[in-house]
Short mmCIF file of all heavy atoms in Angstrom, two decimals:
data_model
loop_
_atom_site.label_atom_id
_atom_site.label_comp_id
_atom_site.label_asym_id
_atom_site.label_seq_id
_atom_site.Cartn_x
_atom_site.Cartn_y
_atom_site.Cartn_z
N GLN A 1 117.25 62.11 61.50
CA GLN A 1 117.93 63.30 61.15
C GLN A 1 119.02 62.93 60.19
O GLN A 1 119.40 61.80 60.07
CB GLN A 1 118.44 64.04 62.34
CG GLN A 1 119.49 63.25 63.10
CD GLN A 1 120.08 64.02 64.30
OE1 GLN A 1 119.57 65.19 64.53
NE2 GLN A 1 121.08 63.55 64.89
N LEU A 2 119.57 63.96 59.56
CA LEU A 2 120.72 63.77 58.62
C LEU A 2 121.96 63.47 59.38
O LEU A 2 122.35 64.19 60.34
CB LEU A 2 120.89 65.02 57.75
CG LEU A 2 122.07 64.92 56.77
CD1 LEU A 2 121.72 63.91 55.63
CD2 LEU A 2 122.20 66.34 56.10
N GLN A 3 122.68 62.37 58.95
CA GLN A 3 123.96 62.02 59.49
C GLN A 3 124.96 62.03 58.46
O GLN A 3 124.69 61.53 57.34
CB GLN A 3 123.92 60.73 60.19
CG GLN A 3 122.96 60.62 61.41
CD GLN A 3 122.85 59.25 61.99
OE1 GLN A 3 122.39 58.36 61.32
NE2 GLN A 3 123.20 59.08 63.28
N LEU A 4 126.18 62.57 58.73
CA LEU A 4 127.25 62.65 57.79
C LEU A 4 128.50 61.95 58.33
O LEU A 4 128.88 62.12 59.51
CB LEU A 4 127.60 64.16 57.51
CG LEU A 4 126.47 65.00 56.96
CD1 LEU A 4 126.84 66.48 56.94
CD2 LEU A 4 126.01 64.49 55.61
N VAL A 5 129.11 61.13 57.46
CA VAL A 5 130.30 60.42 57.87
C VAL A 5 131.37 60.64 56.85
O VAL A 5 131.15 60.26 55.65
CB VAL A 5 130.04 58.95 58.06
CG1 VAL A 5 131.36 58.23 58.44
CG2 VAL A 5 129.04 58.74 59.12
N GLU A 6 132.51 61.23 57.24
CA GLU A 6 133.62 61.44 56.30
C GLU A 6 134.56 60.21 56.22
O GLU A 6 134.66 59.54 57.27
CB GLU A 6 134.43 62.71 56.68
CG GLU A 6 133.64 63.92 56.76
CD GLU A 6 133.04 64.25 58.23
OE1 GLU A 6 132.95 63.27 58.99
OE2 GLU A 6 132.77 65.42 58.47
N SER A 7 135.23 60.05 55.20
CA SER A 7 136.21 58.99 55.07
C SER A 7 137.21 59.43 53.99
O SER A 7 137.03 60.31 53.18
CB SER A 7 135.58 57.60 54.75
OG SER A 7 134.94 57.69 53.52
N GLY A 8 138.31 58.70 53.90
CA GLY A 8 139.27 58.88 52.88
C GLY A 8 140.58 59.61 53.26
O GLY A 8 141.49 59.74 52.51
N GLY A 9 140.59 60.08 54.51
CA GLY A 9 141.78 60.71 54.99
C GLY A 9 142.89 59.76 55.23
O GLY A 9 142.76 58.56 55.22
N GLY A 10 144.11 60.32 55.46
CA GLY A 10 145.27 59.52 55.72
C GLY A 10 146.53 60.29 55.57
O GLY A 10 146.55 61.49 55.50
N LEU A 11 147.63 59.57 55.49
CA LEU A 11 148.96 60.15 55.37
C LEU A 11 149.34 60.12 53.88
O LEU A 11 149.26 59.10 53.24
CB LEU A 11 149.98 59.40 56.20
CG LEU A 11 151.45 59.83 56.00
CD1 LEU A 11 151.65 61.25 56.53
CD2 LEU A 11 152.33 58.86 56.82
N VAL A 12 149.77 61.33 53.39
CA VAL A 12 150.15 61.40 52.01
C VAL A 12 151.33 62.36 51.86
O VAL A 12 151.50 63.26 52.69
CB VAL A 12 148.98 61.91 51.13
CG1 VAL A 12 148.55 63.37 51.56
CG2 VAL A 12 149.28 61.90 49.63
N GLN A 13 152.23 62.15 50.91
CA GLN A 13 153.36 62.88 50.74
C GLN A 13 152.99 64.23 50.04
O GLN A 13 152.00 64.31 49.29
CB GLN A 13 154.45 62.17 49.83
CG GLN A 13 155.00 61.00 50.49
CD GLN A 13 156.11 60.30 49.62
OE1 GLN A 13 156.16 60.56 48.46
NE2 GLN A 13 156.90 59.45 50.34
N PRO A 14 153.82 65.29 50.22
CA PRO A 14 153.56 66.49 49.50
C PRO A 14 153.46 66.21 47.98
O PRO A 14 154.32 65.45 47.39
CB PRO A 14 154.72 67.38 49.85
CG PRO A 14 155.16 66.90 51.16
CD PRO A 14 154.95 65.43 51.16
N GLY A 15 152.52 66.85 47.31
CA GLY A 15 152.27 66.62 45.90
C GLY A 15 151.36 65.49 45.60
O GLY A 15 150.92 65.28 44.46
N GLY A 16 151.02 64.72 46.64
CA GLY A 16 150.14 63.55 46.47
C GLY A 16 148.67 63.93 46.45
O GLY A 16 148.27 65.13 46.46
N SER A 17 147.82 62.97 46.35
CA SER A 17 146.40 63.20 46.19
C SER A 17 145.60 62.30 47.14
O SER A 17 145.98 61.24 47.52
CB SER A 17 145.93 62.87 44.72
OG SER A 17 146.57 63.72 43.81
N LEU A 18 144.39 62.75 47.51
CA LEU A 18 143.48 62.05 48.27
C LEU A 18 142.03 62.38 47.82
O LEU A 18 141.81 63.50 47.32
CB LEU A 18 143.54 62.31 49.76
CG LEU A 18 144.70 61.74 50.55
CD1 LEU A 18 144.70 62.36 51.93
CD2 LEU A 18 144.74 60.32 50.61
N ARG A 19 141.17 61.45 47.93
CA ARG A 19 139.75 61.77 47.71
C ARG A 19 138.98 61.49 48.95
O ARG A 19 138.89 60.38 49.41
CB ARG A 19 139.13 60.94 46.58
CG ARG A 19 137.75 61.41 46.15
CD ARG A 19 137.17 60.63 44.99
NE ARG A 19 136.64 59.31 45.42
CZ ARG A 19 135.76 58.61 44.76
NH1 ARG A 19 135.29 59.07 43.60
NH2 ARG A 19 135.41 57.39 45.20
N LEU A 20 138.40 62.48 49.44
CA LEU A 20 137.57 62.39 50.71
C LEU A 20 136.12 62.19 50.26
O LEU A 20 135.66 62.74 49.28
CB LEU A 20 137.70 63.67 51.54
CG LEU A 20 139.10 64.13 51.93
CD1 LEU A 20 139.02 65.36 52.85
CD2 LEU A 20 139.86 62.99 52.52
N SER A 21 135.42 61.43 51.11
CA SER A 21 134.02 61.13 50.86
C SER A 21 133.21 61.60 52.05
O SER A 21 133.63 61.53 53.15
CB SER A 21 133.74 59.65 50.61
OG SER A 21 134.45 59.18 49.46
N CYS A 22 132.03 62.00 51.78
CA CYS A 22 131.07 62.45 52.86
C CYS A 22 129.70 61.66 52.51
O CYS A 22 129.01 62.03 51.60
CB CYS A 22 130.80 63.91 52.81
SG CYS A 22 129.60 64.47 53.99
N ALA A 23 129.54 60.66 53.28
CA ALA A 23 128.32 59.74 53.06
C ALA A 23 127.25 60.18 54.02
O ALA A 23 127.41 60.33 55.19
CB ALA A 23 128.71 58.33 53.28
N ALA A 24 126.04 60.41 53.52
CA ALA A 24 124.91 60.83 54.29
C ALA A 24 123.92 59.67 54.47
O ALA A 24 123.80 58.75 53.64
CB ALA A 24 124.21 62.00 53.53
N SER A 25 123.25 59.72 55.57
CA SER A 25 122.17 58.77 55.91
C SER A 25 121.09 59.43 56.63
O SER A 25 121.33 60.53 57.27
CB SER A 25 122.70 57.56 56.67
OG SER A 25 123.27 57.97 57.90
N GLY A 26 119.96 58.88 56.73
CA GLY A 26 118.83 59.42 57.42
C GLY A 26 117.96 60.42 56.64
O GLY A 26 116.72 60.50 56.92
N ARG A 27 118.54 61.03 55.67
CA ARG A 27 117.81 61.95 54.84
C ARG A 27 118.37 61.84 53.39
O ARG A 27 119.37 61.28 53.17
CB ARG A 27 117.95 63.42 55.29
CG ARG A 27 117.54 63.65 56.74
CD ARG A 27 116.03 63.65 56.86
NE ARG A 27 115.61 64.02 58.22
CZ ARG A 27 114.37 64.00 58.68
NH1 ARG A 27 113.40 63.73 57.78
NH2 ARG A 27 114.09 64.30 59.87
N THR A 28 117.61 62.39 52.47
CA THR A 28 118.01 62.46 51.09
C THR A 28 118.95 63.66 50.85
O THR A 28 118.49 64.81 51.02
CB THR A 28 116.84 62.55 50.17
OG1 THR A 28 115.94 61.46 50.41
CG2 THR A 28 117.30 62.63 48.70
N LEU A 29 120.20 63.33 50.46
CA LEU A 29 121.27 64.38 50.39
C LEU A 29 120.89 65.39 49.34
O LEU A 29 121.39 66.55 49.38
CB LEU A 29 122.56 63.72 50.11
CG LEU A 29 123.78 64.67 50.34
CD1 LEU A 29 123.86 65.19 51.73
CD2 LEU A 29 125.01 63.94 50.04
N LYS A 30 120.09 65.06 48.30
CA LYS A 30 119.79 66.02 47.24
C LYS A 30 119.08 67.19 47.68
O LYS A 30 119.03 68.18 46.90
CB LYS A 30 119.02 65.30 46.19
CG LYS A 30 117.59 64.89 46.61
CD LYS A 30 116.81 64.18 45.53
CE LYS A 30 115.41 63.83 45.98
NZ LYS A 30 114.64 63.16 44.90
N ASN A 31 118.57 67.23 48.95
CA ASN A 31 117.86 68.41 49.44
C ASN A 31 118.83 69.39 50.16
O ASN A 31 118.35 70.41 50.74
CB ASN A 31 116.75 68.00 50.35
CG ASN A 31 115.66 67.26 49.61
OD1 ASN A 31 115.38 67.50 48.42
ND2 ASN A 31 115.05 66.28 50.28
N TYR A 32 120.08 69.07 50.13
CA TYR A 32 121.04 69.83 50.99
C TYR A 32 122.21 70.41 50.19
O TYR A 32 122.76 69.76 49.29
CB TYR A 32 121.59 69.02 52.10
CG TYR A 32 120.57 68.47 53.04
CD1 TYR A 32 119.88 67.35 52.85
CD2 TYR A 32 120.28 69.19 54.21
CE1 TYR A 32 118.88 66.83 53.68
CE2 TYR A 32 119.31 68.77 55.13
CZ TYR A 32 118.63 67.65 54.86
OH TYR A 32 117.65 67.18 55.77
N ASN A 33 122.58 71.64 50.52
CA ASN A 33 123.88 72.14 50.07
C ASN A 33 124.94 71.54 51.01
O ASN A 33 124.65 71.26 52.20
CB ASN A 33 123.95 73.66 50.27
CG ASN A 33 123.12 74.44 49.24
OD1 ASN A 33 122.47 73.78 48.38
ND2 ASN A 33 123.18 75.71 49.30
N ILE A 34 126.15 71.28 50.54
CA ILE A 34 127.19 70.63 51.24
C ILE A 34 128.41 71.55 51.32
O ILE A 34 128.82 72.06 50.25
CB ILE A 34 127.57 69.29 50.77
CG1 ILE A 34 126.32 68.35 50.76
CG2 ILE A 34 128.71 68.68 51.53
CD1 ILE A 34 125.89 68.02 52.12
N GLY A 35 129.05 71.71 52.41
CA GLY A 35 130.32 72.40 52.53
C GLY A 35 131.37 71.50 53.15
O GLY A 35 131.09 70.63 53.99
N TRP A 36 132.55 71.70 52.70
CA TRP A 36 133.78 71.06 53.31
C TRP A 36 134.57 72.09 54.09
O TRP A 36 134.74 73.21 53.58
CB TRP A 36 134.72 70.38 52.26
CG TRP A 36 134.22 69.06 51.71
CD1 TRP A 36 133.47 68.84 50.60
CD2 TRP A 36 134.42 67.79 52.35
NE1 TRP A 36 133.31 67.51 50.48
CE2 TRP A 36 133.83 66.84 51.51
CE3 TRP A 36 135.12 67.42 53.49
CZ2 TRP A 36 133.91 65.46 51.82
CZ3 TRP A 36 135.16 65.99 53.77
CH2 TRP A 36 134.58 65.09 52.94
N PHE A 37 134.97 71.71 55.27
CA PHE A 37 135.71 72.52 56.14
C PHE A 37 136.97 71.82 56.61
O PHE A 37 137.07 70.64 56.48
CB PHE A 37 134.90 72.95 57.35
CG PHE A 37 133.62 73.71 57.08
CD1 PHE A 37 132.55 73.14 56.51
CD2 PHE A 37 133.64 75.07 57.28
CE1 PHE A 37 131.40 73.82 56.21
CE2 PHE A 37 132.44 75.86 57.03
CZ PHE A 37 131.39 75.21 56.48
N ARG A 38 137.95 72.55 57.18
CA ARG A 38 139.08 71.97 57.78
C ARG A 38 139.54 72.75 58.94
O ARG A 38 139.34 73.95 59.02
CB ARG A 38 140.21 71.79 56.79
CG ARG A 38 140.82 73.07 56.28
CD ARG A 38 141.89 72.87 55.19
NE ARG A 38 142.58 73.98 54.73
CZ ARG A 38 143.41 74.07 53.75
NH1 ARG A 38 143.77 72.94 53.07
NH2 ARG A 38 143.96 75.22 53.35
N GLN A 39 140.18 72.06 59.88
CA GLN A 39 140.81 72.79 60.98
C GLN A 39 142.11 72.17 61.35
O GLN A 39 142.22 70.97 61.62
CB GLN A 39 139.82 72.64 62.24
CG GLN A 39 140.32 73.49 63.45
CD GLN A 39 139.29 73.63 64.47
OE1 GLN A 39 138.39 72.82 64.59
NE2 GLN A 39 139.40 74.64 65.33
N ALA A 40 143.14 72.98 61.25
CA ALA A 40 144.46 72.55 61.65
C ALA A 40 144.72 72.86 63.08
O ALA A 40 144.15 73.69 63.66
CB ALA A 40 145.47 73.29 60.78
N PRO A 41 145.73 72.08 63.67
CA PRO A 41 146.03 72.36 65.10
C PRO A 41 146.41 73.81 65.32
O PRO A 41 147.23 74.41 64.58
CB PRO A 41 147.23 71.44 65.35
CG PRO A 41 147.07 70.36 64.37
CD PRO A 41 146.48 71.03 63.15
N GLY A 42 145.77 74.42 66.31
CA GLY A 42 146.04 75.83 66.68
C GLY A 42 145.37 76.88 65.75
O GLY A 42 145.65 78.08 65.98
N LYS A 43 144.61 76.40 64.85
CA LYS A 43 143.93 77.33 63.93
C LYS A 43 142.40 77.22 64.02
O LYS A 43 141.88 76.14 64.45
CB LYS A 43 144.37 77.13 62.47
CG LYS A 43 145.88 77.46 62.21
CD LYS A 43 146.16 77.37 60.78
CE LYS A 43 147.59 77.79 60.51
NZ LYS A 43 147.89 77.80 59.01
N GLU A 44 141.75 78.24 63.61
CA GLU A 44 140.32 78.16 63.50
C GLU A 44 139.79 77.41 62.36
O GLU A 44 140.54 77.25 61.26
CB GLU A 44 139.74 79.58 63.56
CG GLU A 44 140.00 80.36 64.83
CD GLU A 44 139.30 81.71 64.82
OE1 GLU A 44 138.75 82.14 63.79
OE2 GLU A 44 139.36 82.39 65.86
N ARG A 45 138.58 76.98 62.34
CA ARG A 45 137.99 76.30 61.31
C ARG A 45 137.88 77.23 60.08
O ARG A 45 137.60 78.39 60.19
CB ARG A 45 136.57 75.84 61.66
CG ARG A 45 135.81 75.06 60.53
CD ARG A 45 134.29 75.07 60.88
NE ARG A 45 133.67 76.41 60.80
CZ ARG A 45 132.48 76.70 61.20
NH1 ARG A 45 131.76 75.81 61.81
NH2 ARG A 45 132.01 77.90 61.05
N GLU A 46 138.08 76.70 58.93
CA GLU A 46 137.97 77.41 57.64
C GLU A 46 137.21 76.63 56.66
O GLU A 46 137.30 75.43 56.54
CB GLU A 46 139.33 77.88 57.15
CG GLU A 46 140.20 76.69 56.62
CD GLU A 46 141.44 77.18 55.98
OE1 GLU A 46 141.49 78.30 55.38
OE2 GLU A 46 142.44 76.38 55.92
N GLY A 47 136.43 77.35 55.83
CA GLY A 47 135.75 76.70 54.76
C GLY A 47 136.67 76.41 53.67
O GLY A 47 137.55 77.23 53.30
N VAL A 48 136.47 75.26 53.01
CA VAL A 48 137.36 74.83 51.92
C VAL A 48 136.53 74.91 50.62
O VAL A 48 137.08 75.43 49.56
CB VAL A 48 137.84 73.40 52.10
CG1 VAL A 48 138.73 72.92 50.87
CG2 VAL A 48 138.73 73.37 53.40
#
């Protein structure tokens, strides 16, 4: 099956930058639409 592993998160100052990665295995990613989501403490998941 398709497996997804995120990386690239960390601590950054306001105004800074990060690049997150989503690496797939088990399947060919070209056959899939991809969405990024986030969830903050006390909040519901939201699409990004």
Side-chain angles (χ1 to χ4, degrees):
Q1 64 176 8
L2 179 67
Q3 295 175 301
L4 303 172
V5 179
E6 304 93 336
S7 63
L11 176 64
V12 63
Q13 294 183 342
S17 299
L18 287 173
R19 189 180 76 162
L20 308 184
S21 298
C22 176
S25 62
R27 303 287 184 183
T28 300
L29 193 61
K30 67 180 181 180
N31 294 325
Y32 297 88
N33 289 2
I34 300 296
W36 280 97
F37 298 76
R38 68 184 182 186
Q39 187 168 23
K43 294 187 176 182
E44 295 184 353
R45 180 197 70 191
E46 65 172 336
V48 175

